[in-house]
Amino acid sequence: MADGSEKNAVVSNKKVIFKDYVSGFPKESDMAVTVDENLKLKVAGDSQGILVKNLYLSCDPYMRLLMTNRSSEIFGTYTPGAPITGFGVGKVIDSRNPEFKEGDLVWGITGWEEYSLLTSSEGLFKIHHTDIPLSYYTGILGMPGLTAYGGFYEVCAPKKGEYVFVSAASGAVGQLVGQFAKLMGCYVVGSAGTQDKVELLKNKFGFDDAFNYKEESDLNAALKRYFPEGIDIYFENVGGKMLDAVILNMRVHGRIAACGMISQYNRDQPEGVQNLMSIVYKRVRIEGFAVFDYYPQYSKFLDFILPYIREGKVKYVEDIVEGLENGPAALIGLFSGRNMGKQVVVIAPQ
């Protein structure tokens, strides 16, 4: 926190430190909140650094993968004793990078701390549209939004009238995929883990139907109930038993966009998938993807999504907690389904 004003040369810097690699479900005690004194609010003159005051931090399931000493191949891993990192929204306090200047609002990968010195501008986006809540740049206008856009329109290649199933459908990505599918004229069903989330999918996001997977003893039978003619598109967020059941219910030439598999992140040994031969019979395409694949399309994505937001045709639900010290509990809550919508940590609201 700044001593009075941000023009003071020296501040303290609260941060969330990753303590050590995690096995099984992560706990709040796997992280520690500490304070560094005497942070200078100036970037050294011989660097290309960007000093950012963090305003909002994003809690995302992929962050669990970084808590092991097994590389995720995309993000690397967290370093014990160092702050955890994730997507966030910040304000530039000082910059030696010619592309960014003091006062710029940005989103991208940052530290879980009040101030971060970013040594690279790769994957750092300037925020130009401030009539939309800044927190949306952790979600619908940030990584989850671009993930939903690229995964659904590019990987799934949807057509009007197709049958679409979305798992973890009330989460940061799923809630958007379902609404995009409805905009395409598709029939959409989502799964979630509580009755409140099921109601949210149907009443807020306009899904045609939804179910609580925890109340279904036979997922294959449940999917046959909701998709008697089969599934054209499955947007995969959970993996495990749900993926196995979906494979049995895919239609000929169906597409599965593999975005994530949150049911597997806390397992030391992943669950196997039994029904893969159905992919051959039905000529199903399964394709994985990463949000970075679609960074070059970010401006095109904004042109697409901003009018829908402003007109109220696409809705977004956030679950907001205040204070960096409450960040670890919010992050851990993702894995028990405690959040309702996109989980955001507010550090310094604008």
Side-chain angles (χ1 to χ4, degrees):
M1 180 138 340
D3 301 326
S5 96
E6 287 180 359
K7 292 185 179 177
N8 288 340
V10 177
V11 297
S12 60
N13 190 26
K14 189 185 296 181
K15 52 183 64 181
V16 175
I17 299 295
F18 178 59
K19 287 164 73 173
D20 204 355
Y21 296 118
V22 174
S23 179
F25 270 80
K27 306 179 294 296
E28 286 182 57
S29 58
D30 293 319
M31 293 164 272
V33 178
T34 66
V35 178
D36 277 359
E37 305 294 345
N38 304 324
L39 172 73
K40 291 184 178 179
L41 289 186
K42 276 289 178 191
V43 179
D46 58 350
S47 77
Q48 288 268 301
I50 306 162
L51 183 65
V52 171
K53 179 180 181 179
N54 293 311
L55 308 176
Y56 299 92
L57 296 176
S58 177
C59 296
D60 296 296
Y62 82 87
M63 296 166 74
R64 171 63 185 87
L65 299 173
L66 313 193
M67 294 181 176
T68 70
N69 57 5
R70 301 187 302 273
S71 171
S72 69
E73 298 182 21
I74 298 177
F75 292 98
T77 63
Y78 289 146
T79 303
I84 66 173
T85 59
F87 287 91
V89 173
K91 183 177 182 179
V92 176
I93 301 297
D94 190 32
S95 173
R96 298 294 180 192
N97 186 305
E99 296 176 27
F100 296 88
K101 65 182 189 300
E102 180 182 346
D104 283 347
L105 293 165
V106 296
W107 75 266
I109 295 284
T110 189
W112 271 42
E113 51 194 349
E114 291 176 299
Y115 297 90
S116 291
L117 179 61
L118 309 179
T119 56
S120 169
S121 62
E122 186 178 357
L124 192 65
F125 294 89
K126 278 187 193 177
I127 293 171
H128 298 291
H129 303 277
T130 54
D131 60 313
I132 311 291
L134 279 181
S135 59
Y136 276 26
Y137 288 90
T138 69
I140 186 171
L141 294 178
M143 180 275 285
L146 193 55
T147 299
Y149 175 79
F152 184 65
Y153 289 107
E154 300 277 337
V155 178
C156 296
K159 294 186 281 292
K160 184 177 179 179
E162 289 193 310
Y163 300 102
V164 177
F165 177 50
V166 185
S167 56
S170 68
V173 175
Q175 59 176 285
L176 294 173
V177 172
Q179 291 179 85
F180 293 167
K182 289 307 300 176
L183 290 171
M184 284 289 300
C186 298
Y187 175 81
V188 188
V189 177
S191 65
T194 70
Q195 196 55 39
D196 285 345
K197 292 178 180 179
V198 168
E199 296 304 318
L200 187 72
L201 293 175
K202 294 191 288 187
N203 300 330
K204 179 87 173 179
F205 300 133
F207 282 60
D208 293 289
D209 217 330
F211 65 92
N212 181 351
Y213 70 90
K214 293 178 182 175
E215 295 180 354
E216 301 290 344
S217 58
D218 185 337
L219 291 173
N220 180 26
L223 291 171
K224 281 181 167 49
R225 195 164 74 241
Y226 288 99
F227 294 99
E229 297 181 51
I231 299 167
D232 292 297
I233 290 171
Y234 173 43
F235 200 94
E236 163 68 306
N237 288 310
V238 300
K241 293 179 175 62
M242 183 66 83
L243 174 60
D244 226 3
V246 167
I247 288 172
L248 290 175
N249 287 277
M250 294 299 291
R251 301 181 82 187
V252 171
H253 298 302
R255 287 87 71 205
I256 298 175
C259 176
M261 299 189 181
I262 192 172
S263 74
Q264 304 302 295
Y265 294 170
N266 297 309
R267 299 179 68 93
D268 290 331
Q269 287 296 321
E271 289 178 292
V273 178
Q274 308 296 314
N275 299 318
L276 290 174
M277 198 59 201
S278 289
I279 293 170
V280 179
Y281 301 147
K282 302 284 184 67
R283 286 84 87 197
V284 172
R285 175 169 60 84
I286 301 180
E287 184 176 340
F289 68 100
V291 68
F292 309 116
D293 301 339
Y294 302 102
Y295 274 6
Q297 296 187 38
Y298 183 61
S299 61
K300 178 184 168 188
F301 164 65
L302 287 181
D303 291 340
F304 162 81
I305 194 68
L306 283 168
Y308 284 126
I309 296 173
R310 289 173 176 141
E311 294 163 19
K313 292 180 179 175
V314 169
K315 298 175 172 64
Y316 203 62
V317 170
E318 298 175 305
D319 190 329
I320 292 179
V321 302
E322 295 196 6
L324 185 60
E325 63 279 2
N326 295 314
L331 179 57
I332 300 310
L334 292 179
F335 303 101
S336 58
R338 197 163 66 203
N339 58 302
M340 180 77 83
K342 169 65 197 169
Q343 186 68 70
V344 182
V345 180
V346 183
I347 301 180
Q350 290 286 290

